[in-house]
Each structure stands twice: as C-alpha cells, then as structure tokens.
Amino acid sequence: AADGRPGWKLTLRMPCYQPVMSYADNRALRATLHRASATRASDLGASPQWDNTAVIRRILELRREAALLLGYASYAEVSLVPKMARSVDEVLRFLRDLARRAKPFAHRDYAELVAFARESLGIDDLAPWDLSYASEKLKAARFAFSEQEVRQYFPEHEVLAGLFRVAEMLYGIKSVTTAGAQF
C-alpha cells in the first residue's frame, strides 16, 4: 500500500526471504525469489545499475595490495593473523578433510530429500528453490517438529535476557538498560 500497489511486497532481506523459501507452497514464487536473490548485485541481476562486479573486483585488488604491503602473499594470510589456524594450507587441509568426511552423509541426506519431495510433495525435479521448503516439510513429517511451534516457547525478550545472564556469568559483562533497550 505504501508503494501505491495492491498485494504483498516481498523483499530479499532475511526476515522475509527465508520464511517464504521455507513455507510458501507456491513453487513459482519460491523460484522467483531464489533467482532474484542468487543474481542480485551481479551482471545477471534485474538491473545493470546494481551490478557490483567492478566494486568487488576493486575490493579484491585493494586486499591484495594491502596484503603485499604488510608482507603477506595473499589476503587469506592477513585474514588468518587473529585466528587459530597458522596457514592457508592448514585451513585448506581442514576444509578438504571436512568435505571428504561430510560428503557421504550429504549425499545420503540429499537422496532422502529428493525421494521425500517426489513421494510426498509431488516435486519430481528438486530445484534449489525447493530445498528449504522440502526440508521443512520433511522435518515436520519425520519429527512432528515445526520451528514456528517451538518459537512460542522462546520469546525474544526471555532469550535475550538469558543470553545477557550467560555473558555476565562467563565474562563479568553487566547489561545496561537505556530507554527500554538492553545493551
């Protein structure tokens, strides 16, 4: 209504996007939002003026330049300085090992999701925009679990209060309440 148009306005921001991808029964709507999200700010997006390719290229150039000025071979090495990993090779070995171990389970889970989508949802060709939706339906069917139902037992104000209590207990951080907001 604020835009002077009838209907609903859906955005690619997470408070809107993810629930649509997980719960909207309209497959064409999920496909439209997925394509818009996957191509935003790119040369494949809806509008050339939003293409960030040149900006990203410049950021990468500046990161490379900064790394060389600081005496590192790459920006990846700069990024590792405050982290636990000692080298880019160590990170790559870890990730490759993790992928090798996780891949069989991922293949099994995906095969189960494809079979469930075909048998229970009538989706013969599971597409990227179907993954969250089919996963949510499978979870509900298999475990009688719904995030929406669980959410009512975890009101935001109580979860935040609990988080602040844990931070206070672990780190001695005291929360401050100012004009209704807690920091």
Side-chain angles (χ1 to χ4, degrees), residues 10-175:
L10 301 174
T11 70
L12 299 179
R13 293 189 178 110
M14 278 308 139
C16 177
Y17 177 79
Q18 194 56 50
V20 171
M21 299 308 290
S22 296
Y23 301 105
D25 292 327
N26 185 326
R27 189 175 191 211
L29 173 63
R30 294 193 315 269
T32 299
L33 256 63
H34 172 79
R35 283 188 193 101
S37 177
T39 61
R40 74 176 153 190
S42 79
D43 59 339
L44 302 174
S47 181
Q49 79 236 29
W50 297 332
D51 179 8
N52 281 339
T53 302
V55 174
I56 293 168
R57 187 174 292 116
R58 183 66 180 141
I59 289 169
L60 293 174
E61 289 168 1
L62 291 171
R63 285 181 172 181
R64 172 111 175 109
E65 183 180 328
L68 294 175
L69 286 171
L70 293 170
Y72 294 96
S74 70
Y75 186 77
E77 288 182 6
V78 174
S79 175
L80 289 177
V81 170
K83 299 179 177 115
M84 287 177 40
R86 291 178 294 273
S87 71
V88 174
D89 286 338
E90 182 180 347
V91 172
L92 291 174
R93 277 194 308 276
F94 169 78
L95 291 175
R96 287 183 182 120
D97 182 54
L98 179 62
R100 181 185 57 77
R101 292 171 189 243
K103 196 171 183 177
F105 298 100
H107 282 294
R108 183 201 64 209
D109 291 349
Y110 183 72
E112 288 178 18
L113 190 61
V114 167
F116 175 81
R118 185 181 321 103
E119 295 161 10
S120 300
L121 304 176
I123 299 174
D124 290 327
D125 56 333
L126 195 64
W129 48 86
D130 298 319
L131 295 176
S132 291
Y133 177 77
S135 295
E136 191 63 34
K137 294 290 187 182
L138 175 60
K139 190 175 6 173
R142 184 173 288 163
F143 305 113
F145 174 83
S146 165
E147 288 183 21
Q148 297 302 320
E149 288 179 27
V150 171
R151 184 170 286 157
Q152 69 182 321
Y153 299 106
F154 296 96
E156 182 179 6
H157 68 281
E158 289 185 29
V159 171
L160 287 175
L163 177 65
F164 282 114
R165 283 193 302 276
V166 169
E168 185 174 340
M169 181 181 67
L170 291 175
Y171 305 110
I173 298 171
K174 300 263 188 211
S175 62

